[in-house]
Amino acid sequence: IVDSRAYAGIYVRLGEEMVASTAERSTSTRTARLGMLREIVEFFEHSLPQLITSAIGLAGTVVILSTLNVPVFLGCLAVAVATGILYALTGKLTTRYNEGLNDEHERQVDAVDSGDPVRLGEHLRAMTRWNIRLSDLEAGTFGINWVLMMGLLVFAVGISAERTVEYGAVFAIVMYVFQFVESLMALPFYYQQWLRLREISGRLARVGTEAGVEAGATP
């Protein structure tokens, strides 16, 4: 409850400052950016604690696996690196799609307020296209990542059964690999959130810079 009150206060204060600095902008743009600002605050309130928990759990699992079975540990590291490379390669595309989607969000109120069905339809179709592109990209990267994870699980079972006589030890290794997979699969979600919020932060920062320049130019 205390956290909710604190973050609500942060949102109100930042929202007031943002609206005041963009007084010359359209109502549609300011409304959209208030929603974007809310996304940033909610990330710090809800997603960041979960991200920290996942990262700690992932690190702990990797350390334990390094003591139980070195080949499985190396396999986990290889999959983690491959996952990082995969999402790094698609990062610019994700940012570009989010930029297009946010541009359309800033036009939404104007499109609705215009009362023009054609303009509104074009706006809604544009938003749908950006959402579909983001969804397709996410599905593609998730699918590739899922194949990597399944390969890791098969490798872990095979190498553990080959090198370990006790079934209990094999079971423990496989369970830790499952935990590793669960934690690692969650991290790309936070990475994609971070990419979206970075685009939003840059958008809001440009507004603040423009407002400062205009204020300095005023005699």
Side-chain angles (χ1 to χ4, degrees), residues 6-187:
Y7 282 108
I10 292 171
Y11 173 66
V12 170
R13 185 171 66 255
L14 293 178
E16 290 173 345
E17 293 176 359
M18 190 273 293
V19 171
S21 66
T22 57
E24 76 287 351
R25 301 271 180 170
S26 68
T27 301
S28 184
T29 298
R30 287 182 289 167
T31 301
R33 291 185 178 179
L34 273 177
M36 296 175 196
L37 180 62
R38 183 62 191 171
E39 287 186 48
I40 295 176
V41 175
E42 287 181 346
F43 174 82
F44 283 99
E45 182 180 1
H46 301 295
S47 298
L48 185 59
Q50 296 172 0
L51 171 59
I52 294 173
T53 300
S54 295
I56 293 174
L58 181 64
T61 302
V62 169
V63 170
I64 293 172
L65 284 172
S66 69
T67 63
L68 293 177
N69 192 299
V70 174
V72 173
F73 162 71
L74 295 176
C76 289
L77 289 185
V79 169
V81 170
T83 299
I85 293 173
L86 172 64
Y87 281 90
L89 291 175
T90 59
K92 289 185 178 180
L93 200 56
T94 301
T95 300
R96 183 160 67 85
Y97 290 167
N98 275 302
E99 183 178 2
L101 180 61
N102 288 335
D103 286 342
E104 286 301 325
H105 273 302
E106 292 186 354
R107 303 184 184 108
Q108 188 164 57
V109 173
D110 285 342
V112 173
D113 191 54
S114 69
D116 183 355
V118 175
R119 180 180 176 184
L120 179 60
E122 291 176 350
H123 162 72
L124 294 176
R125 283 190 291 272
M127 287 193 65
T128 300
R129 284 195 297 270
W130 288 118
N131 276 314
I132 290 174
R133 288 172 182 173
L134 280 167
S135 179
D136 288 346
L137 181 61
E138 182 180 353
T141 51
F142 179 85
I144 296 173
N145 201 30
W146 185 84
V147 171
L148 292 174
M149 299 299 176
M150 293 304 101
L152 174 63
L153 285 171
V154 172
F155 170 76
V157 172
I159 200 70
S160 299
E162 179 182 334
R163 293 181 172 233
T164 307
V165 178
E166 298 179 0
Y167 290 107
V170 174
F171 181 78
I173 292 171
V174 172
M175 287 299 99
Y176 278 117
V177 172
F178 266 113
Q179 187 174 342
F180 170 84
V181 168
E182 182 180 4
S183 298
L184 188 61
M185 290 290 280
L187 293 183

